[in-house]
Amino acid sequence: MSAPEWTLESLAGAIRTKSISPVEAAQQCLARIARLDARLRAFITLDAEGVLRAAKECEAEAAAGHWRGPLHGVPLAYKDLCHIRGLSTSCGTKTPEYFFAEHDCTAVARLSAAGAITLGKLNMTELAMGPFGDNVHHGHAQNPWRDGHVTGGSSSGSAVAVAAGLAMGALGSDTGGSIRLPAACCGIVGLKPTYGRVSRAGVMPLSWSNDHVGPMARTVRDAALMLQAIAGPDPCDATSSGRAVPDYLAGIEAGVAGLRVAVPENFFFRGLHPEIEAGVREALRAMEKLGARVVEMTIPDPQAMNDVATIVSRCEGAAAHARLAREHPEQIQPVVRARLELGFRISAYDYLQALRLRARLTRAFLREVYADADVLVAPVIPEPAPPLAHAIDGTVEELTERQGRFARLTRSFNGLGLPVLALPCGVSQAGLPLALQIVGRPFDEATVLRVGRAYERAAGWSSRRPVE
Amino acid sequence: MSEQPSQLPSQAKGRQSELANLLGVIERAGDLALSEEPSRFAAALDEAAAEAASEAKR
């Protein structure tokens, strides 16, 4: 078995049984990066020396019978907004050292403590502001399934690296869909955990109220393994929850028999590309065959939460990046600058009313949806990954409008703070991935993963690989 | 932040209308009670998780 076929779990198992060494695994990833990344542009910073040094240490420790944790020797890579000592953090901007934090990113530190080794830092939309994954400063990441199509964003490099087998897993961040959109466009699994489940300490803020850090992986089990390592309270992040972290793999194979799966009748299936709708509805039929009780439901209007989340994100993004916006506006892509500018125009009154309204809408959503359902299933992207020109050609107004439309199915769940798993549910006639999202109750990542795993096992989409 | 000098009047108008559309959600929500604080968001997540856990035990 070699890198294109590995999953994080299978590689970790092969290292544990010594059928492959951490150095061989790292070398295979580096060889693939050398061969493919000039075209794919997944990486902003590759730490070839660092990863080989770490792999040798892991190998020596394994030889001595010492295992750091369940990810011992597994090469991972991280979105370039995670602060890691010794590596620069551009956040997709023109400035190589844009973001610095007092501590290493907690999520990366926890993955390292579990044994993972760091390949480098991954491409992303500038300042994580945009759903397509384009970046003029570091090169537009390429969709591994079809050249010339977007990867989804903002965690573009994370999705590409995982889909193309350059890294066995990656971290992304999600403020309006930035884990789920690229996961959907690139045919991988992405998990936005509950707000507060995973520490954001050491990660560039875009919107303190809507930011989430989460795993991007080839399979649902891989995502669960990564979540297990990174979830839990962190004194460095005041918003992290003290709630106990369950064993995410314990019930993951339990199937969906008897679980109630809600399908929203309103909003989510309006104006969809027919292949996306067909893919999601076919997946729902598959879940029903597996024993789930699928029920249609009218849910509280997601557009209201979309607007609330956008108001909050624009204000907080403008506050977080005011210095760059004021001192070097010429360095920011026009469409990103336009989003920042909007934040400066929103009054404190409207910002605070939006935060108050968010709480009201969240209570209503939880009460009305989860009284009769265990999870909600909906599409992630309204169409398969569009051509790159759709993301970069046009006026700022046209691009902003396209961005809003592309992210309209994901943003409300950032406002709601709920756990959401995106995973593949088919392939379009043009060879591009289709995807669905599974939305759970607060802190119930275990059920979301269980439903995702049952569908993944039955459908098998996660074992498909892009042609090289 | 001041308007960028290169911004065209049509762009400024487009952004003004984008903003007005967004803020409409606050107008439509009507009055918010004094008890409706931003912190009730995190409390809503915790309470729903606790309810689900106690239901599962039953």
Side-chain angles (χ1 to χ4, degrees):
Chain A
M1 200 170 63
S2 60
E5 292 89 39
W6 290 334
T7 64
L8 185 157
E9 190 178 27
S10 70
L11 177 60
I15 289 173
R16 183 64 69 140
T17 56
K18 300 190 178 171
S19 51
I20 187 168
S21 77
V23 172
E24 287 167 336
Q27 283 170 336
Q28 284 210 35
C29 287
L30 288 173
R32 289 184 65 74
I33 294 165
R35 185 160 63 83
L36 299 171
D37 204 45
R39 175 172 63 88
L40 295 173
R41 292 183 176 272
F43 280 81
I44 289 178
T45 305
L46 179 64
D47 187 16
E49 273 182 34
V51 75
L52 285 173
R53 192 170 52 244
K56 282 176 189 162
E57 286 169 12
C58 281
E59 194 158 310
E61 289 170 15
H66 172 68
W67 301 92
R68 293 182 189 183
L71 308 181
H72 191 98
V74 175
L76 301 181
Y78 307 114
K79 186 174 182 178
D80 197 27
L81 46 57
C82 298
H83 174 64
I84 303 173
R85 205 172 37 237
L87 297 178
S88 59
T89 305
S90 77
C91 304
T93 68
K94 199 176 177 181
T95 311
E97 308 260 4
Y98 178 70
F99 176 65
F100 178 82
E102 285 179 18
H103 304 282
D104 273 1
C105 166
T106 297
V108 173
R110 288 179 176 178
L111 289 165
S112 300
I117 56 178
T118 301
L119 280 162
K121 310 285 285 293
L122 296 164
N123 206 348
M124 56 181 283
T125 312
E126 185 174 22
L127 294 175
M129 287 193 188
F132 290 122
D134 53 299
N135 188 308
V136 293
H137 307 304
H138 300 282
H140 305 310
Q142 286 287 326
N143 193 309
W145 294 92
R146 193 161 177 194
D147 275 351
H149 284 250
V150 305
T151 58
S154 64
S155 309
S156 51
S158 302
V160 174
V162 172
L166 310 183
M168 293 304 106
L171 283 180
S173 68
D174 192 319
T175 305
S178 286
I179 287 174
R180 291 161 287 155
L181 296 166
C185 290
C186 293
I188 65 161
V189 172
L191 175 66
K192 181 195 86 63
T194 308
Y195 185 79
R197 181 74 296 178
V198 173
S199 167
R200 290 101 41 91
V203 176
M204 178 206 85
L206 172 56
S207 165
W208 300 281
S209 301
N210 290 318
D211 290 344
H212 301 70
V213 173
M216 299 175 75
R218 285 187 152 180
T219 67
V220 176
R221 289 184 65 93
D222 284 0
L225 269 166
M226 288 182 71
L227 179 66
Q228 197 73 56
I230 62 179
D234 177 14
C236 296
D237 179 354
T239 65
S240 72
S241 169
R243 188 167 286 278
V245 177
D247 180 344
Y248 292 115
L249 285 171
I252 201 167
E253 302 292 345
V256 292
L259 287 183
R260 298 165 302 170
V261 174
V263 188
E265 283 175 333
N266 53 324
F267 188 81
F268 284 94
F269 288 88
R270 202 182 60 218
L272 279 189
H273 188 285
E275 287 182 286
I276 295 277
E277 173 155 11
V280 176
R281 296 225 184 262
E282 182 59 36
L284 287 162
R285 281 191 288 276
M287 288 180 197
E288 207 159 23
K289 277 187 195 157
L290 294 169
R293 286 156 50 200
V294 177
V295 287
E296 293 221 328
M297 179 187 284
T298 301
I299 63 169
D301 179 21
Q303 188 56 48
M305 187 56 102
N306 272 352
D307 291 344
V308 163
T310 302
I311 293 167
V312 172
S313 280
R314 293 291 177 275
C315 290
E316 294 181 355
H321 301 292
R323 188 166 173 182
L324 177 66
R326 289 191 162 127
E327 294 181 6
H328 296 290
E330 77 289 348
Q331 290 185 3
I332 311 172
Q333 289 171 253
V335 70
V336 174
R337 198 167 64 217
R339 291 174 77 147
L340 283 173
E341 284 170 6
L342 198 68
F344 287 108
R345 292 159 189 263
I346 297 171
S347 70
Y349 166 81
D350 285 320
Y351 170 66
L352 287 166
Q353 292 296 79
L355 283 175
R356 297 172 74 199
L357 188 51
R358 175 199 203 189
R360 178 195 279 186
L361 295 174
T362 300
R363 283 182 183 276
F365 190 93
L366 293 172
R367 192 174 56 239
E368 290 177 36
V369 173
Y370 292 104
D372 298 313
D374 297 300
V375 294
L376 181 80
V377 169
V380 187
I381 43 177
E383 60 186 310
L388 185 59
H390 188 77
I392 59 175
D393 291 346
T395 64
V396 166
E397 284 68 30
E398 286 165 343
L399 296 178
T400 302
E401 200 271 331
R402 285 178 212 155
Q403 289 187 348
R405 239 184 311 130
F406 199 65
R408 77 179 184 87
L409 307 178
T410 50
R411 200 179 311 123
S412 65
F413 300 120
N414 293 77
L416 291 163
L418 299 174
V420 192
L421 182 74
L423 74 162
C425 69
V427 59
S428 75
Q429 285 184 350
L432 289 159
L434 311 172
L436 59 82
Q437 54 185 340
I438 302 167
V439 188
R441 291 190 178 93
F443 298 100
D444 194 12
E445 283 80 2
T447 301
V448 163
L449 290 162
R450 175 181 157 192
V451 174
R453 173 63 187 143
Y455 171 68
E456 174 188 74
R457 201 171 47 209
W461 297 113
S462 293
S463 59
R464 288 180 73 248
R465 300 285 180 260
V467 176
E468 290 172 16
Chain B
M1 191 176 153
S2 63
E3 197 75 30
Q4 293 302 305
S6 59
Q7 196 173 55
L8 300 169
S10 63
Q11 290 175 331
K13 199 175 166 190
R15 284 174 207 172
Q16 204 57 44
S17 125
E18 185 188 354
L19 190 56
N21 281 340
L22 269 181
L23 298 180
V25 71
I26 292 169
E27 289 302 313
R28 289 191 297 276
D31 284 342
L32 289 155
L34 281 175
S35 59
E36 291 185 274
E37 299 176 22
S39 65
R40 283 175 59 94
F41 165 70
L45 297 185
D46 262 336
E47 286 163 22
E51 275 170 29
S54 69
E55 265 176 39
K57 273 184 192 161
R58 285 201 299 271

Short mmCIF file of all heavy atoms in Angstrom, two decimals, chain A residues 202-255:
data_model
loop_
_atom_site.label_atom_id
_atom_site.label_comp_id
_atom_site.label_asym_id
_atom_site.label_seq_id
_atom_site.Cartn_x
_atom_site.Cartn_y
_atom_site.Cartn_z
N GLY A 202 -4.25 30.29 19.15
CA GLY A 202 -3.13 30.18 18.21
C GLY A 202 -3.56 30.13 16.76
O GLY A 202 -2.74 29.91 15.87
N VAL A 203 -4.85 30.33 16.50
CA VAL A 203 -5.37 30.35 15.13
C VAL A 203 -5.81 31.78 14.82
O VAL A 203 -6.47 32.42 15.65
CB VAL A 203 -6.59 29.40 14.98
CG1 VAL A 203 -7.19 29.49 13.59
CG2 VAL A 203 -6.16 27.97 15.29
N MET A 204 -5.44 32.29 13.64
CA MET A 204 -5.82 33.64 13.27
C MET A 204 -7.33 33.83 13.41
O MET A 204 -8.10 33.04 12.87
CB MET A 204 -5.45 33.92 11.80
CG MET A 204 -5.86 35.31 11.33
SD MET A 204 -6.12 35.41 9.53
CE MET A 204 -7.83 34.84 9.38
N PRO A 205 -7.77 34.85 14.13
CA PRO A 205 -9.21 35.08 14.21
C PRO A 205 -9.74 35.78 12.97
O PRO A 205 -9.08 36.63 12.40
CB PRO A 205 -9.34 36.00 15.44
CG PRO A 205 -8.05 36.73 15.51
CD PRO A 205 -7.00 35.82 14.92
N LEU A 206 -10.92 35.37 12.55
CA LEU A 206 -11.64 36.12 11.52
C LEU A 206 -12.91 36.66 12.17
O LEU A 206 -13.24 37.83 12.02
CB LEU A 206 -11.98 35.21 10.34
CG LEU A 206 -12.89 35.83 9.27
CD1 LEU A 206 -12.32 37.13 8.74
CD2 LEU A 206 -13.10 34.86 8.13
N SER A 207 -13.59 35.79 12.91
CA SER A 207 -14.79 36.22 13.64
C SER A 207 -14.85 35.37 14.91
O SER A 207 -15.14 34.18 14.85
CB SER A 207 -16.03 35.98 12.78
OG SER A 207 -17.19 36.05 13.57
N TRP A 208 -14.59 36.00 16.05
CA TRP A 208 -14.52 35.25 17.31
C TRP A 208 -15.82 34.51 17.58
O TRP A 208 -15.81 33.47 18.22
CB TRP A 208 -14.20 36.21 18.47
CG TRP A 208 -12.90 36.91 18.28
CD1 TRP A 208 -11.66 36.38 18.53
CD2 TRP A 208 -12.68 38.24 17.79
NE1 TRP A 208 -10.69 37.31 18.21
CE2 TRP A 208 -11.28 38.46 17.77
CE3 TRP A 208 -13.52 39.27 17.37
CZ2 TRP A 208 -10.71 39.66 17.35
CZ3 TRP A 208 -12.96 40.47 16.95
CH2 TRP A 208 -11.57 40.66 16.94
N SER A 209 -16.93 35.04 17.10
CA SER A 209 -18.23 34.41 17.38
C SER A 209 -18.56 33.27 16.43
O SER A 209 -19.43 32.45 16.74
CB SER A 209 -19.35 35.45 17.29
OG SER A 209 -19.12 36.49 18.19
N ASN A 210 -17.92 33.23 15.28
CA ASN A 210 -18.29 32.23 14.26
C ASN A 210 -17.15 31.28 13.87
O ASN A 210 -17.38 30.35 13.10
CB ASN A 210 -18.77 32.94 12.99
CG ASN A 210 -20.12 33.61 13.18
OD1 ASN A 210 -21.01 33.06 13.79
ND2 ASN A 210 -20.26 34.83 12.68
N ASP A 211 -15.94 31.54 14.36
CA ASP A 211 -14.79 30.69 13.97
C ASP A 211 -14.86 29.31 14.63
O ASP A 211 -15.15 29.20 15.82
CB ASP A 211 -13.47 31.34 14.41
CG ASP A 211 -13.11 32.59 13.63
OD1 ASP A 211 -13.69 32.82 12.56
OD2 ASP A 211 -12.23 33.34 14.10
N HIS A 212 -14.55 28.31 13.84
CA HIS A 212 -14.44 26.94 14.34
C HIS A 212 -13.20 26.31 13.70
O HIS A 212 -12.94 26.56 12.52
CB HIS A 212 -15.63 26.08 13.93
CG HIS A 212 -16.97 26.58 14.39
ND1 HIS A 212 -17.56 27.71 13.90
CD2 HIS A 212 -17.85 26.07 15.29
CE1 HIS A 212 -18.73 27.90 14.49
NE2 HIS A 212 -18.94 26.90 15.33
N VAL A 213 -12.48 25.48 14.45
CA VAL A 213 -11.34 24.73 13.90
C VAL A 213 -11.74 23.27 13.84
O VAL A 213 -12.39 22.78 14.78
CB VAL A 213 -10.09 24.90 14.80
CG1 VAL A 213 -8.96 23.99 14.35
CG2 VAL A 213 -9.64 26.36 14.79
N GLY A 214 -11.40 22.59 12.75
CA GLY A 214 -11.81 21.19 12.67
C GLY A 214 -10.98 20.38 11.70
O GLY A 214 -10.19 20.92 10.91
N PRO A 215 -11.18 19.05 11.73
CA PRO A 215 -10.38 18.15 10.89
C PRO A 215 -10.92 18.01 9.46
O PRO A 215 -12.12 18.09 9.23
CB PRO A 215 -10.50 16.80 11.62
CG PRO A 215 -11.79 16.87 12.36
CD PRO A 215 -12.05 18.32 12.67
N MET A 216 -9.99 17.78 8.54
CA MET A 216 -10.32 17.45 7.16
C MET A 216 -9.56 16.17 6.83
O MET A 216 -8.34 16.11 7.05
CB MET A 216 -9.95 18.61 6.24
CG MET A 216 -10.73 19.87 6.64
SD MET A 216 -10.27 21.35 5.74
CE MET A 216 -11.03 21.06 4.15
N ALA A 217 -10.27 15.16 6.35
CA ALA A 217 -9.66 13.83 6.26
C ALA A 217 -10.30 13.04 5.13
O ALA A 217 -11.25 13.49 4.50
CB ALA A 217 -9.85 13.10 7.59
N ARG A 218 -9.74 11.85 4.89
CA ARG A 218 -10.26 11.03 3.79
C ARG A 218 -11.50 10.25 4.17
O ARG A 218 -12.30 9.92 3.31
CB ARG A 218 -9.17 10.05 3.33
CG ARG A 218 -8.10 10.75 2.52
CD ARG A 218 -7.14 9.76 1.94
NE ARG A 218 -6.59 10.31 0.70
CZ ARG A 218 -5.72 9.69 -0.06
NH1 ARG A 218 -5.30 8.48 0.27
NH2 ARG A 218 -5.28 10.25 -1.16
N THR A 219 -11.61 9.92 5.44
CA THR A 219 -12.76 9.10 5.87
C THR A 219 -13.36 9.68 7.14
O THR A 219 -12.71 10.49 7.84
CB THR A 219 -12.33 7.65 6.17
OG1 THR A 219 -11.48 7.66 7.33
CG2 THR A 219 -11.58 7.01 5.01
N VAL A 220 -14.55 9.23 7.45
CA VAL A 220 -15.21 9.68 8.67
C VAL A 220 -14.44 9.21 9.89
O VAL A 220 -14.27 9.95 10.87
CB VAL A 220 -16.67 9.16 8.70
CG1 VAL A 220 -17.35 9.53 10.00
CG2 VAL A 220 -17.46 9.73 7.51
N ARG A 221 -13.92 7.99 9.86
CA ARG A 221 -13.15 7.49 11.00
C ARG A 221 -11.88 8.33 11.21
O ARG A 221 -11.48 8.59 12.34
CB ARG A 221 -12.78 6.01 10.80
CG ARG A 221 -13.95 5.05 10.92
CD ARG A 221 -13.51 3.59 10.81
NE ARG A 221 -12.64 3.20 11.91
CZ ARG A 221 -13.08 2.63 13.04
NH1 ARG A 221 -14.35 2.38 13.22
NH2 ARG A 221 -12.23 2.32 13.99
N ASP A 222 -11.25 8.73 10.11
CA ASP A 222 -10.05 9.58 10.23
C ASP A 222 -10.41 10.92 10.89
O ASP A 222 -9.66 11.43 11.73
CB ASP A 222 -9.45 9.86 8.85
CG ASP A 222 -8.67 8.66 8.29
OD1 ASP A 222 -8.61 7.62 8.97
OD2 ASP A 222 -8.15 8.78 7.16
N ALA A 223 -11.55 11.48 10.48
CA ALA A 223 -11.98 12.75 11.08
C ALA A 223 -12.23 12.57 12.58
O ALA A 223 -11.90 13.44 13.39
CB ALA A 223 -13.22 13.27 10.37
N ALA A 224 -12.82 11.42 12.94
CA ALA A 224 -13.09 11.13 14.35
C ALA A 224 -11.79 11.02 15.14
O ALA A 224 -11.67 11.52 16.27
CB ALA A 224 -13.92 9.85 14.48
N LEU A 225 -10.80 10.35 14.54
CA LEU A 225 -9.50 10.21 15.21
C LEU A 225 -8.86 11.57 15.46
O LEU A 225 -8.29 11.82 16.52
CB LEU A 225 -8.56 9.38 14.32
CG LEU A 225 -8.55 7.87 14.52
CD1 LEU A 225 -7.84 7.20 13.35
CD2 LEU A 225 -7.85 7.51 15.83
N MET A 226 -8.94 12.44 14.46
CA MET A 226 -8.34 13.77 14.63
C MET A 226 -9.12 14.58 15.67
O MET A 226 -8.54 15.26 16.51
CB MET A 226 -8.30 14.52 13.29
CG MET A 226 -7.27 13.97 12.32
SD MET A 226 -7.21 14.91 10.77
CE MET A 226 -6.46 16.46 11.31
N LEU A 227 -10.46 14.50 15.60
CA LEU A 227 -11.27 15.24 16.57
C LEU A 227 -10.94 14.79 18.00
O LEU A 227 -10.85 15.60 18.91
CB LEU A 227 -12.76 15.05 16.28
CG LEU A 227 -13.70 15.78 17.26
CD1 LEU A 227 -13.55 17.30 17.14
CD2 LEU A 227 -15.15 15.38 17.03
N GLN A 228 -10.77 13.46 18.15
CA GLN A 228 -10.45 12.93 19.48
C GLN A 228 -9.20 13.60 20.05
O GLN A 228 -9.13 13.89 21.25
CB GLN A 228 -10.22 11.41 19.37
CG GLN A 228 -10.28 10.69 20.69
CD GLN A 228 -11.73 10.59 21.18
OE1 GLN A 228 -12.58 10.09 20.49
NE2 GLN A 228 -11.98 11.10 22.36
N ALA A 229 -8.25 13.85 19.19
CA ALA A 229 -6.98 14.44 19.66
C ALA A 229 -7.12 15.92 20.00
O ALA A 229 -6.45 16.42 20.90
CB ALA A 229 -5.90 14.25 18.58
N ILE A 230 -7.98 16.64 19.27
CA ILE A 230 -7.98 18.11 19.42
C ILE A 230 -9.12 18.65 20.29
O ILE A 230 -9.06 19.81 20.72
CB ILE A 230 -8.02 18.81 18.04
CG1 ILE A 230 -9.29 18.48 17.25
CG2 ILE A 230 -6.78 18.47 17.23
CD1 ILE A 230 -9.37 19.17 15.88
N ALA A 231 -10.15 17.85 20.56
CA ALA A 231 -11.31 18.36 21.30
C ALA A 231 -10.99 18.52 22.79
O ALA A 231 -10.14 17.81 23.32
CB ALA A 231 -12.48 17.40 21.12
N GLY A 232 -11.72 19.45 23.42
CA GLY A 232 -11.61 19.57 24.87
C GLY A 232 -11.23 20.95 25.34
O GLY A 232 -10.80 21.79 24.54
N PRO A 233 -11.40 21.20 26.63
CA PRO A 233 -11.16 22.54 27.17
C PRO A 233 -9.72 22.98 27.02
O PRO A 233 -8.81 22.15 26.98
CB PRO A 233 -11.54 22.39 28.65
CG PRO A 233 -11.61 20.94 28.93
CD PRO A 233 -11.85 20.24 27.65
N ASP A 234 -9.54 24.30 26.94
CA ASP A 234 -8.20 24.87 26.79
C ASP A 234 -8.15 26.20 27.53
O ASP A 234 -8.90 27.12 27.18
CB ASP A 234 -7.92 25.08 25.29
CG ASP A 234 -6.56 25.75 25.06
OD1 ASP A 234 -5.74 25.80 26.00
OD2 ASP A 234 -6.33 26.21 23.93
N PRO A 235 -7.31 26.33 28.52
CA PRO A 235 -7.24 27.60 29.26
C PRO A 235 -6.84 28.78 28.38
O PRO A 235 -7.07 29.93 28.75
CB PRO A 235 -6.20 27.33 30.35
CG PRO A 235 -5.51 26.08 29.97
CD PRO A 235 -6.42 25.31 29.07
N CYS A 236 -6.24 28.50 27.23
CA CYS A 236 -5.82 29.60 26.32
C CYS A 236 -6.97 30.10 25.44
O CYS A 236 -6.79 31.05 24.68
CB CYS A 236 -4.67 29.14 25.43
SG CYS A 236 -3.20 28.74 26.37
N ASP A 237 -8.13 29.44 25.48
CA ASP A 237 -9.28 29.89 24.69
C ASP A 237 -10.50 29.97 25.62
O ASP A 237 -11.07 28.95 26.00
CB ASP A 237 -9.56 28.91 23.53
CG ASP A 237 -10.77 29.33 22.68
OD1 ASP A 237 -11.46 30.30 23.05
OD2 ASP A 237 -11.01 28.67 21.67
N ALA A 238 -10.88 31.21 25.96
CA ALA A 238 -11.97 31.41 26.92
C ALA A 238 -13.30 30.87 26.42
O ALA A 238 -14.21 30.62 27.21
CB ALA A 238 -12.10 32.89 27.24
N THR A 239 -13.43 30.68 25.10
CA THR A 239 -14.70 30.18 24.58
C THR A 239 -14.74 28.66 24.49
O THR A 239 -15.75 28.08 24.09
CB THR A 239 -14.99 30.74 23.16
OG1 THR A 239 -14.01 30.23 22.26
CG2 THR A 239 -14.98 32.26 23.15
N SER A 240 -13.65 28.00 24.86
CA SER A 240 -13.67 26.54 24.75
C SER A 240 -14.54 25.97 25.88
O SER A 240 -14.58 26.50 26.98
CB SER A 240 -12.26 25.95 24.77
OG SER A 240 -11.70 26.04 26.06
N SER A 241 -15.26 24.91 25.56
CA SER A 241 -16.21 24.33 26.51
C SER A 241 -15.52 23.36 27.46
O SER A 241 -14.61 22.62 27.06
CB SER A 241 -17.29 23.58 25.73
OG SER A 241 -18.07 22.82 26.61
N GLY A 242 -15.99 23.35 28.71
CA GLY A 242 -15.46 22.41 29.69
C GLY A 242 -16.15 21.05 29.64
O GLY A 242 -15.81 20.14 30.38
N ARG A 243 -17.11 20.92 28.74
CA ARG A 243 -17.86 19.67 28.62
C ARG A 243 -16.92 18.50 28.31
O ARG A 243 -16.01 18.62 27.51
CB ARG A 243 -18.88 19.85 27.48
CG ARG A 243 -19.87 18.76 27.30
CD ARG A 243 -20.97 19.23 26.39
NE ARG A 243 -21.84 20.16 27.09
CZ ARG A 243 -22.83 19.80 27.89
NH1 ARG A 243 -23.09 18.52 28.09
NH2 ARG A 243 -23.57 20.70 28.50
N ALA A 244 -17.19 17.35 28.93
CA ALA A 244 -16.33 16.17 28.75
C ALA A 244 -16.34 15.71 27.29
O ALA A 244 -17.35 15.83 26.60
CB ALA A 244 -16.81 15.04 29.65
N VAL A 245 -15.21 15.18 26.85
CA VAL A 245 -15.08 14.70 25.47
C VAL A 245 -15.35 13.20 25.44
O VAL A 245 -14.66 12.44 26.13
CB VAL A 245 -13.66 14.99 24.93
CG1 VAL A 245 -13.50 14.43 23.52
CG2 VAL A 245 -13.37 16.47 24.96
N PRO A 246 -16.35 12.75 24.68
CA PRO A 246 -16.62 11.30 24.63
C PRO A 246 -15.61 10.58 23.74
O PRO A 246 -14.80 11.22 23.07
CB PRO A 246 -18.02 11.25 24.01
CG PRO A 246 -18.11 12.48 23.18
CD PRO A 246 -17.26 13.52 23.83
N ASP A 247 -15.71 9.26 23.70
CA ASP A 247 -14.89 8.45 22.80
C ASP A 247 -15.61 8.42 21.45
O ASP A 247 -16.64 7.76 21.31
CB ASP A 247 -14.73 7.04 23.38
CG ASP A 247 -13.87 6.15 22.49
OD1 ASP A 247 -13.65 6.51 21.30
OD2 ASP A 247 -13.43 5.09 22.97
N TYR A 248 -15.07 9.15 20.47
CA TYR A 248 -15.80 9.29 19.20
C TYR A 248 -15.80 8.03 18.35
O TYR A 248 -16.62 7.88 17.45
CB TYR A 248 -15.22 10.47 18.40
CG TYR A 248 -15.49 11.80 19.05
CD1 TYR A 248 -14.46 12.59 19.54
CD2 TYR A 248 -16.79 12.26 19.22
CE1 TYR A 248 -14.71 13.81 20.17
CE2 TYR A 248 -17.05 13.47 19.85
CZ TYR A 248 -16.00 14.24 20.31
OH TYR A 248 -16.26 15.43 20.93
N LEU A 249 -14.86 7.13 18.60
CA LEU A 249 -14.84 5.89 17.81
C LEU A 249 -15.69 4.79 18.44
O LEU A 249 -16.03 3.81 17.78
CB LEU A 249 -13.40 5.40 17.62
CG LEU A 249 -12.58 6.20 16.60
CD1 LEU A 249 -11.11 5.79 16.66
CD2 LEU A 249 -13.11 6.03 15.18
N ALA A 250 -16.05 4.98 19.72
CA ALA A 250 -16.72 3.90 20.45
C ALA A 250 -18.03 3.46 19.77
O ALA A 250 -18.29 2.27 19.64
CB ALA A 250 -16.99 4.33 21.89
N GLY A 251 -18.86 4.44 19.34
CA GLY A 251 -20.16 4.06 18.76
C GLY A 251 -20.25 4.34 17.29
O GLY A 251 -21.34 4.32 16.70
N ILE A 252 -19.12 4.57 16.64
CA ILE A 252 -19.15 5.07 15.26
C ILE A 252 -19.66 4.02 14.27
O ILE A 252 -20.18 4.37 13.21
CB ILE A 252 -17.75 5.62 14.86
CG1 ILE A 252 -17.88 6.59 13.68
CG2 ILE A 252 -16.77 4.50 14.56
CD1 ILE A 252 -16.64 7.42 13.42
N GLU A 253 -19.55 2.73 14.63
CA GLU A 253 -20.01 1.67 13.72
C GLU A 253 -21.41 1.19 14.07
O GLU A 253 -21.86 0.16 13.57
CB GLU A 253 -19.03 0.48 13.74
CG GLU A 253 -17.58 0.83 13.38
CD GLU A 253 -17.40 1.22 11.91
OE1 GLU A 253 -18.33 0.96 11.10
OE2 GLU A 253 -16.35 1.81 11.58
N ALA A 254 -22.13 1.94 14.92
CA ALA A 254 -23.42 1.45 15.43
C ALA A 254 -24.55 1.51 14.42
O ALA A 254 -25.64 1.00 14.67
CB ALA A 254 -23.80 2.22 16.70
N GLY A 255 -24.33 2.16 13.28
CA GLY A 255 -25.38 2.21 12.25
C GLY A 255 -26.44 3.25 12.57
O GLY A 255 -26.36 3.96 13.58
#
